[in-house]
Amino acid sequence: MPFTLLAAALLTAMFLSLQSGSLAIGISDWWQGLNAQQSLVLWEIRLPRLLMTALVGAGLAVSGVALQALFRNPLAEPGLIGVSSSAALGAVMVIVLGGLLWGSVSGWQMSLAAFVAAAIATLLIYLIATRNGHTDVALMLLAGVALNAVAGALTGLLITISTDAQLRSVMFWMMGSFSAASWTAVLWLGGAALLVMARLVWLRRSMNALLLGEAACLQMGYAVQPLKWQIMGLSALLVGSAVAWVGVIGFVGLMVPHMVRLWLGPDHRQLIPLSALGGALLLVLADWLARSWMAPAELPIGLLMALIGGPFFLSLLLKRRGA
């Protein structure tokens, strides 16, 4: 039932999103037949953007679930602990240095660089914040602040040596946007995201065991260290792929898993697929708001999610303080 409800809400939001924009496409237009301009806008602009939005939302939400299982803490989120900003740094390095060294860059080069940077950031945070299988929440968040600061400083350094064209591209990645979505990007990201999410669904029982502690996980017959390496690599791949194509979008991996846990509990058999649907739904709605709020201008999706996610994160901290 929860899966059906979220799937229906997602399909409804996607249908409404396809109709909205500077060129209105109403229900009557669908029945009577679209003209050439409407068909072009629908198939070459709105539909790839919509699919990209849903894929990124699902990927970021599931990466949040994976990191929270790894750290056994619901506050672990790619943006908060520096994974997203590090992935952005990797993509920016390819944009700026790649342009200087070999002239042009491609999507797969940015994806690879973002993945490597995200994987390094995840490993660093894990090594700093985790001792004897237990994660110090304060240390994890402080390490994330430091990592975000370092990644931001290095990104700023790269901006100072970038050209005007590179600067515009870098700002696009830093604020997050789906305006450059294309069928090529959908195929690249869709292939990576769906495979990684399928693997994490396969690991759902072992992730449940990991929540009980490393000793309990070993007693249940799971190899803890290979499991943790898998979770780190898969979550980094999800975040890196998303950041490489659309830039930094925070708080999806924090808000969606938290709301699903409040609704149905921490069982990863439900948490992973429902978080994927919830993340897709959240970003589809947020992208629709970003396009319509300041029309014909467009609010960067990363800024909008920060406006939504920042108060949400503060409320979680206040609840933990009260507890």
Side-chain angles (χ1 to χ4, degrees):
M1 189 65 172
F3 188 91
T4 304
L5 286 175
L6 276 180
L10 176 60
L11 290 175
T12 302
M14 293 175 78
F15 181 71
L16 294 175
S17 179
L18 285 176
Q19 299 181 61
S20 64
S22 56
L23 178 64
I25 303 177
I27 297 178
S28 60
D29 296 317
W30 293 81
W31 287 109
Q32 296 172 6
L34 304 177
N35 59 39
Q37 184 183 19
Q38 289 173 327
S39 295
L40 179 65
V41 169
L42 178 65
W43 292 104
E44 298 301 326
I45 299 177
R46 291 188 188 172
L47 190 55
R49 176 176 180 140
L50 180 63
L51 294 176
M52 175 69 80
T53 304
L55 285 169
V56 169
L60 290 177
V62 172
S63 69
V65 172
L67 288 174
Q68 288 155 19
L70 175 68
F71 289 100
R72 298 203 299 280
N73 191 285
L75 295 181
E77 197 270 341
L80 291 176
I81 62 175
V83 178
S84 294
S85 59
S86 299
L89 173 62
V92 170
M93 287 180 65
V94 170
I95 293 171
V96 177
L97 300 181
L100 293 175
L101 296 176
W102 57 82
S104 62
V105 296
S106 61
W108 72 266
Q109 290 171 327
M110 287 189 294
S111 295
L112 179 60
F115 161 66
V116 171
I120 293 173
T122 304
L123 178 60
L124 281 175
I125 292 293
Y126 183 81
L127 293 176
I128 292 171
T130 304
R131 288 290 182 275
N132 300 321
H134 298 283
T135 300
D136 187 321
V137 180
L139 195 58
M140 178 185 70
L141 294 177
L142 289 173
V145 169
L147 201 56
N148 276 319
V150 172
L154 292 176
T155 301
L157 180 63
L158 290 170
I159 287 175
T160 61
I161 63 173
S162 63
T163 64
D164 290 340
Q166 290 171 343
L167 178 59
R168 287 191 293 271
S169 183
V170 168
M171 295 309 296
F172 165 83
W173 300 121
M174 295 307 297
M175 293 190 292
S177 176
F178 295 104
S179 60
S182 64
W183 285 112
T184 300
V186 169
L187 291 175
W188 273 95
L189 180 59
L194 293 176
L195 286 174
V196 171
M197 287 189 285
R199 180 57 184 170
L200 286 172
V201 169
W202 181 263
L203 295 174
R204 61 193 183 278
R205 296 183 185 276
S206 55
M207 292 167 73
N208 280 342
L210 189 60
L211 291 179
L212 302 175
E214 293 188 12
C217 190
L218 279 170
Q219 290 174 359
M220 296 172 70
Y222 296 106
V224 174
Q225 290 304 320
L227 173 62
K228 292 194 294 187
W229 282 111
Q230 281 193 74
I231 293 174
M232 277 190 275
L234 293 171
S235 60
L237 184 56
L238 275 177
V239 176
S241 299
V243 170
W245 287 107
V246 302
V248 177
I249 301 174
F251 296 104
V252 178
L254 177 71
M255 293 190 293
V256 175
H258 183 77
M259 289 186 286
V260 174
R261 283 193 190 92
L262 288 178
W263 185 16
L264 295 169
D267 188 348
H268 284 87
R269 291 175 295 179
Q270 291 183 314
L271 185 59
I272 294 175
L274 291 179
S275 292
L277 286 175
L281 175 61
L282 175 62
L283 271 199
V284 167
L285 292 174
D287 184 56
W288 171 79
L289 181 59
R291 289 188 289 117
S292 59
W293 190 2
M294 302 175 62
E298 179 181 322
L299 183 67
I301 188 69
L303 297 184
L304 178 60
M305 289 307 302
L307 291 173
I308 299 172
F312 184 89
F313 178 59
L314 287 174
S315 70
L316 289 183
L317 290 180
L318 290 174
K319 286 181 180 179
R320 289 178 69 89
R321 178 188 177 189

